[in-house]
Amino acid sequence: MTRLVLGISAGLAGLLLSGTAFSADLPGKFPGVTIDVKLIGGQQYEKLYERIPEWEKATGAKVNILTKKNGFDIDKELKSDIASGSTNWCVGWNHSSFAPQYTSLYTDLSKLLPKEEIDAFVPSTIKAATIDGKLEMLPRAQFDVSALYYQKSLYENADNKTKFKAKYGYDLAPPDTWKEVTDQAEFFANPPNFYGTQFAGKEEAINGRFYEMVVAEGGEYLDKDGKPVFNSEAGIRALDWFVNLYKAKAVPAGTTNYLWDDLGQGFASGTVAINLDWPGWAGFFNDPKSSKVAGNVGVKVAPKGSAGVRTGWSGFHGFSVTENCANKDAAASLVWWLTNEDSQKLEAAAGPLPTRTAVWDWDLKQAENDPYKKEVLAAFQEEAKHAFAVPQTPEWIEISNAVYPELQAAILGDKTSKQALDEAAAKATQILQDAGKL
């Protein structure tokens, strides 16, 4: 998945039909059927669900939403369902970083949908969604890799330019390295009213950010044998980035409890200068109805670490069908509906990156006369060149859950970075040993 968007502008390969359904039959007719679903919730995900009533009208089926939670909470619920055998609902959230845990839960969509529909997706996303030969999910228009959003007026202010140059010895410009982010975050910070930057500080969110910073510092999270090695000099430098910004009060005091919606609302409030975030927020940030920084947002590729490597932790969201679903054809139809061209255009119009080849072409066309959209797509297309997935082990989330409290302890000053990482690496090693991986 290192290059998830390679071939984005290439034409679709041969449209050969196979499988149990033909695209002409989609979405199909399922009168009297009710599909129970478990979805991810949150600002950037909700608009798509407005298309569900259209699917119900077209098919005669009904959708019953059992759960709508953030990804970390729904992950816990899915694991609980697997453990208790409560998996007779039909459609569920999935994500490329979480998918290796769910191979027993979800069925093979390649047996339920026509090949031409599967071939319409960017091939690398389908490859990443296929685990042990089973197509576990269809990607929605939520390809995720983070770029840097910033308030343009801060960089255009003559007084800021003069003072910054006098203090740091170089010109003030949107940062291209994480050292520059640190300098600028500290320069712009004026707590408690304004902060230089922010970060999600718990769950896989902080572990994923730490992981990509380790890579940017020239280190590895797991080595070639799958052993945790993030308690290295590169790992210490990566964690110190979070620690030092927190100590300098350049980030909000509550950042160790933040998740993605907190970051999005924080930058939109106008109280944060620089924000590393996902493409799904692009439209929200530039909409005057939701954002105080609308019209003042710049977007650029993520910065480089000391090793000259850009951060690029990436993945994508999708929908899956359970093995125990009583109406798999209807469930697959709903999954197709939520990821088809119309659905992907709906999501992509607000900023998220599509995963269907034709919708990429459409998205680029739409941006031709929209300078902000053009800037967003250019930034994320460049960032996609630097994208890399999390280590492909089913234990990734379990490791994250063990590691992130140690990262928090260092950020809050309860442990040194070395102490925290040594203890985190020991916990991660034990998890992998218990799983028979080491």
Side-chain angles (χ1 to χ4, degrees):
M1 206 174 77
T2 308
R3 297 291 182 265
L4 280 178
V5 293
L6 285 181
I8 275 170
S9 61
L12 293 178
L15 302 178
L16 301 175
L17 293 175
S18 66
T20 61
F22 294 90
S23 57
D25 298 330
L26 290 169
K29 296 293 183 181
F30 309 101
V33 170
T34 297
I35 299 297
D36 291 332
V37 304
K38 297 197 172 189
L39 304 174
I40 189 170
Q43 183 275 330
Q44 63 181 316
Y45 308 112
E46 298 290 340
K47 185 70 176 176
L48 175 63
Y49 307 147
E50 294 178 9
R51 293 209 70 215
I52 291 176
E54 297 176 50
W55 180 82
E56 292 177 320
K57 183 176 181 180
T59 64
K62 295 294 181 185
V63 174
N64 178 34
I65 299 176
L66 300 175
T67 293
K68 196 189 288 182
K69 299 177 178 178
N70 71 55
F72 306 110
D73 287 341
I74 198 170
D75 170 62
K76 294 179 178 69
E77 182 171 325
L78 298 188
K79 288 174 182 171
S80 176
D81 286 351
I82 293 169
S84 65
S86 305
T87 59
N88 57 351
W89 44 275
C90 278
V91 171
W93 166 82
N94 209 339
H95 188 281
S96 56
S97 294
F98 292 71
Q101 308 171 107
Y102 304 144
T103 53
S104 66
L105 176 63
Y106 290 134
T107 197
D108 186 353
L109 288 170
S110 69
K111 297 178 180 178
L112 297 171
L113 292 167
K115 185 177 183 294
E116 68 172 7
E117 287 298 325
I118 296 167
D119 286 347
F121 289 85
V122 174
S124 52
T125 62
I126 292 299
K127 182 178 179 181
T130 302
I131 301 172
D132 296 332
K134 182 170 72 173
L135 180 59
E136 191 172 306
M137 63 174 156
L138 280 192
R140 66 189 286 185
Q142 289 282 351
F143 168 67
D144 278 341
V145 66
S146 295
L148 206 66
Y149 297 90
Y150 59 92
Q151 292 197 40
K152 292 190 292 187
S153 59
L154 296 173
Y155 294 88
E156 296 164 354
N157 182 281
D159 191 44
N160 283 346
K161 291 180 180 181
T162 300
K163 290 178 178 177
F164 186 87
K165 180 72 174 285
K167 184 172 183 178
Y168 295 98
Y170 64 92
D171 291 332
L172 178 63
D176 197 53
T177 70
W178 284 107
K179 174 63 170 64
E180 291 171 0
V181 172
T182 300
D183 292 344
Q184 294 175 20
E186 292 178 356
F187 175 77
F188 289 131
N190 182 27
N193 299 313
F194 196 84
Y195 294 94
T197 190
Q198 56 184 351
F199 52 82
K202 63 180 183 178
E203 305 280 0
E204 189 224 14
I206 182 64
N207 188 46
R209 289 290 185 231
F210 167 70
Y211 158 63
E212 66 179 342
M213 291 293 282
V214 171
V215 173
E217 290 298 314
E220 294 180 292
Y221 195 96
L222 303 182
D223 68 13
K224 60 182 176 57
D225 298 318
K227 179 182 177 182
V229 291
F230 52 75
N231 56 330
S232 60
E233 290 300 317
I236 291 171
R237 290 195 301 272
L239 181 50
D240 279 348
W241 182 83
F242 299 92
V243 171
N244 292 337
L245 283 175
Y246 189 85
K247 189 181 298 184
K249 298 183 179 180
V251 298
T255 200
T256 50
N257 287 314
Y258 283 8
L259 288 174
W260 307 126
D261 276 9
D262 302 298
L263 299 186
Q265 296 293 342
F267 185 71
S269 74
T271 61
V272 176
I274 308 164
N275 183 47
L276 184 72
D277 220 327
W278 310 108
W281 289 101
F284 185 85
F285 290 154
N286 209 43
D287 184 347
K289 296 178 182 177
S290 56
S291 174
K292 293 182 179 180
V293 295
N296 187 34
V297 182
V299 194
K300 65 169 294 181
V301 65
K304 294 179 284 193
S306 66
V309 177
R310 297 191 188 278
T311 51
W313 167 37
S314 69
F316 55 87
H317 293 264
F319 299 100
S320 300
V321 174
T322 62
E323 289 281 12
N324 291 335
C325 175
N327 295 284
K328 286 188 176 68
D329 286 342
S333 169
L334 177 61
V335 167
W336 167 81
W337 181 269
L338 294 173
T339 60
N340 69 12
E341 279 199 27
D342 288 341
S343 289
Q344 293 227 350
K345 287 177 179 178
L346 175 69
E347 293 207 272
L353 304 183
T355 53
R356 279 178 173 260
T357 306
V359 183
W360 262 106
D361 295 338
W362 172 87
D363 210 13
L364 291 167
K365 185 73 174 175
Q366 300 304 302
E368 288 180 350
N369 298 314
D370 184 339
Y372 175 72
K373 180 79 170 180
K374 202 169 183 178
E375 181 179 354
V376 167
L377 288 177
F380 280 104
Q381 280 193 298
E382 177 61 25
E383 180 58 28
K385 298 175 185 177
H386 308 281
F388 49 86
V390 301
Q392 292 298 288
T393 172
E395 287 72 41
W396 166 251
I397 298 300
E398 187 178 357
I399 289 171
S400 289
N401 292 338
V403 169
Y404 88 77
E406 298 297 333
L407 303 180
Q408 287 180 323
I411 293 166
L412 295 171
D414 298 331
K415 296 179 182 179
T416 67
S417 292
K418 183 173 185 348
Q419 288 172 333
L421 292 180
D422 283 346
E423 292 180 34
K427 291 178 179 179
T429 299
Q430 187 63 57
I431 289 169
L432 291 165
Q433 287 174 339
D434 290 346
K437 301 298 176 62
L438 293 176

